[in-house]
PDB file of all heavy atoms in Angstrom:
ATOM      1  N   THR A 132       5.794  -5.564 -13.498  1.00  0.00           N
ATOM      2  CA  THR A 132       6.903  -4.744 -13.050  1.00  0.00           C
ATOM      3  C   THR A 132       8.083  -4.949 -13.980  1.00  0.00           C
ATOM      4  O   THR A 132       8.204  -5.993 -14.632  1.00  0.00           O
ATOM      5  CB  THR A 132       7.304  -5.094 -11.606  1.00  0.00           C
ATOM      6  OG1 THR A 132       7.663  -6.461 -11.565  1.00  0.00           O
ATOM      7  CG2 THR A 132       6.182  -4.794 -10.634  1.00  0.00           C
ATOM      8  N   PRO A 133       8.974  -3.952 -14.056  1.00  0.00           N
ATOM      9  CA  PRO A 133      10.133  -4.092 -14.951  1.00  0.00           C
ATOM     10  C   PRO A 133      11.014  -5.282 -14.603  1.00  0.00           C
ATOM     11  O   PRO A 133      11.569  -5.919 -15.494  1.00  0.00           O
ATOM     12  CB  PRO A 133      10.888  -2.775 -14.732  1.00  0.00           C
ATOM     13  CG  PRO A 133       9.861  -1.812 -14.259  1.00  0.00           C
ATOM     14  CD  PRO A 133       8.869  -2.619 -13.486  1.00  0.00           C
ATOM     15  N   ILE A 134      11.141  -5.609 -13.336  1.00  0.00           N
ATOM     16  CA  ILE A 134      11.977  -6.744 -12.941  1.00  0.00           C
ATOM     17  C   ILE A 134      11.385  -8.041 -13.484  1.00  0.00           C
ATOM     18  O   ILE A 134      12.103  -8.875 -14.048  1.00  0.00           O
ATOM     19  CB  ILE A 134      12.134  -6.802 -11.411  1.00  0.00           C
ATOM     20  CG1 ILE A 134      12.943  -5.603 -10.948  1.00  0.00           C
ATOM     21  CG2 ILE A 134      12.773  -8.094 -10.979  1.00  0.00           C
ATOM     22  CD1 ILE A 134      13.033  -5.455  -9.463  1.00  0.00           C
ATOM     23  N   ASN A 135      10.063  -8.200 -13.331  1.00  0.00           N
ATOM     24  CA  ASN A 135       9.423  -9.413 -13.838  1.00  0.00           C
ATOM     25  C   ASN A 135       9.506  -9.488 -15.359  1.00  0.00           C
ATOM     26  O   ASN A 135       9.682 -10.564 -15.926  1.00  0.00           O
ATOM     27  CB  ASN A 135       7.973  -9.480 -13.385  1.00  0.00           C
ATOM     28  CG  ASN A 135       7.856  -9.752 -11.901  1.00  0.00           C
ATOM     29  OD1 ASN A 135       8.778 -10.258 -11.287  1.00  0.00           O
ATOM     30  ND2 ASN A 135       6.726  -9.407 -11.339  1.00  0.00           N
ATOM     31  N   GLU A 136       9.362  -8.328 -16.029  1.00  0.00           N
ATOM     32  CA  GLU A 136       9.475  -8.322 -17.481  1.00  0.00           C
ATOM     33  C   GLU A 136      10.895  -8.688 -17.912  1.00  0.00           C
ATOM     34  O   GLU A 136      11.094  -9.403 -18.880  1.00  0.00           O
ATOM     35  CB  GLU A 136       9.083  -6.956 -18.038  1.00  0.00           C
ATOM     36  CG  GLU A 136       7.606  -6.664 -17.921  1.00  0.00           C
ATOM     37  CD  GLU A 136       7.256  -5.269 -18.410  1.00  0.00           C
ATOM     38  OE1 GLU A 136       8.138  -4.594 -18.982  1.00  0.00           O
ATOM     39  OE2 GLU A 136       6.102  -4.867 -18.217  1.00  0.00           O
ATOM     40  N   PHE A 137      11.898  -8.184 -17.171  1.00  0.00           N
ATOM     41  CA  PHE A 137      13.283  -8.494 -17.501  1.00  0.00           C
ATOM     42  C   PHE A 137      13.548  -9.984 -17.397  1.00  0.00           C
ATOM     43  O   PHE A 137      14.120 -10.595 -18.289  1.00  0.00           O
ATOM     44  CB  PHE A 137      14.225  -7.729 -16.567  1.00  0.00           C
ATOM     45  CG  PHE A 137      15.668  -8.118 -16.733  1.00  0.00           C
ATOM     46  CD1 PHE A 137      16.400  -7.675 -17.819  1.00  0.00           C
ATOM     47  CD2 PHE A 137      16.289  -8.943 -15.809  1.00  0.00           C
ATOM     48  CE1 PHE A 137      17.717  -8.044 -17.977  1.00  0.00           C
ATOM     49  CE2 PHE A 137      17.608  -9.307 -15.956  1.00  0.00           C
ATOM     50  CZ  PHE A 137      18.333  -8.855 -17.048  1.00  0.00           C
ATOM     51  N   PHE A 138      13.092 -10.583 -16.291  1.00  0.00           N
ATOM     52  CA  PHE A 138      13.343 -12.006 -16.110  1.00  0.00           C
ATOM     53  C   PHE A 138      12.543 -12.847 -17.093  1.00  0.00           C
ATOM     54  O   PHE A 138      13.000 -13.894 -17.525  1.00  0.00           O
ATOM     55  CB  PHE A 138      13.057 -12.435 -14.670  1.00  0.00           C
ATOM     56  CG  PHE A 138      14.132 -11.994 -13.722  1.00  0.00           C
ATOM     57  CD1 PHE A 138      13.848 -11.160 -12.671  1.00  0.00           C
ATOM     58  CD2 PHE A 138      15.434 -12.413 -13.910  1.00  0.00           C
ATOM     59  CE1 PHE A 138      14.851 -10.757 -11.809  1.00  0.00           C
ATOM     60  CE2 PHE A 138      16.438 -12.019 -13.052  1.00  0.00           C
ATOM     61  CZ  PHE A 138      16.146 -11.186 -12.000  1.00  0.00           C
ATOM     62  N   SER A 139      11.348 -12.389 -17.453  1.00  0.00           N
ATOM     63  CA  SER A 139      10.579 -13.166 -18.423  1.00  0.00           C
ATOM     64  C   SER A 139      11.211 -13.065 -19.809  1.00  0.00           C
ATOM     65  O   SER A 139      11.239 -14.030 -20.556  1.00  0.00           O
ATOM     66  CB  SER A 139       9.120 -12.698 -18.455  1.00  0.00           C
ATOM     67  OG  SER A 139       9.048 -11.382 -18.973  1.00  0.00           O
ATOM     68  N   LYS A 140      11.765 -11.906 -20.173  1.00  0.00           N
ATOM     69  CA  LYS A 140      12.452 -11.766 -21.463  1.00  0.00           C
ATOM     70  C   LYS A 140      13.744 -12.565 -21.464  1.00  0.00           C
ATOM     71  O   LYS A 140      14.102 -13.169 -22.462  1.00  0.00           O
ATOM     72  CB  LYS A 140      12.755 -10.293 -21.745  1.00  0.00           C
ATOM     73  CG  LYS A 140      11.541  -9.481 -22.089  1.00  0.00           C
ATOM     74  CD  LYS A 140      11.926  -8.041 -22.316  1.00  0.00           C
ATOM     75  CE  LYS A 140      10.682  -7.185 -22.533  1.00  0.00           C
ATOM     76  NZ  LYS A 140      11.007  -5.774 -22.653  1.00  0.00           N
ATOM     77  N   GLU A 141      14.440 -12.532 -20.316  1.00  0.00           N
ATOM     78  CA  GLU A 141      15.691 -13.272 -20.215  1.00  0.00           C
ATOM     79  C   GLU A 141      15.449 -14.769 -20.391  1.00  0.00           C
ATOM     80  O   GLU A 141      16.193 -15.459 -21.064  1.00  0.00           O
ATOM     81  CB  GLU A 141      16.338 -12.997 -18.867  1.00  0.00           C
ATOM     82  CG  GLU A 141      17.712 -13.568 -18.730  1.00  0.00           C
ATOM     83  CD  GLU A 141      18.327 -13.214 -17.393  1.00  0.00           C
ATOM     84  OE1 GLU A 141      17.878 -13.792 -16.396  1.00  0.00           O
ATOM     85  OE2 GLU A 141      19.220 -12.365 -17.374  1.00  0.00           O
ATOM     86  N   GLY A 142      14.375 -15.266 -19.802  1.00  0.00           N
ATOM     87  CA  GLY A 142      14.045 -16.682 -19.934  1.00  0.00           C
ATOM     88  C   GLY A 142      13.662 -17.046 -21.355  1.00  0.00           C
ATOM     89  O   GLY A 142      13.947 -18.129 -21.838  1.00  0.00           O
ATOM     90  N   ASP A 143      13.016 -16.105 -22.086  1.00  0.00           N
ATOM     91  CA  ASP A 143      12.634 -16.356 -23.474  1.00  0.00           C
ATOM     92  C   ASP A 143      13.865 -16.456 -24.378  1.00  0.00           C
ATOM     93  O   ASP A 143      13.883 -17.219 -25.331  1.00  0.00           O
ATOM     94  CB  ASP A 143      11.710 -15.243 -23.975  1.00  0.00           C
ATOM     95  CG  ASP A 143      10.365 -15.268 -23.266  1.00  0.00           C
ATOM     96  OD1 ASP A 143      10.024 -16.315 -22.681  1.00  0.00           O
ATOM     97  OD2 ASP A 143       9.674 -14.231 -23.311  1.00  0.00           O
TER      98      ASP A 143
END
Side-chain angles (χ1 to χ4, degrees):
T132 59
I134 293 173
N135 289 339
E136 290 177 8
F137 173 76
F138 285 120
S139 67
K140 288 179 185 176
E141 187 178 73
D143 293 341

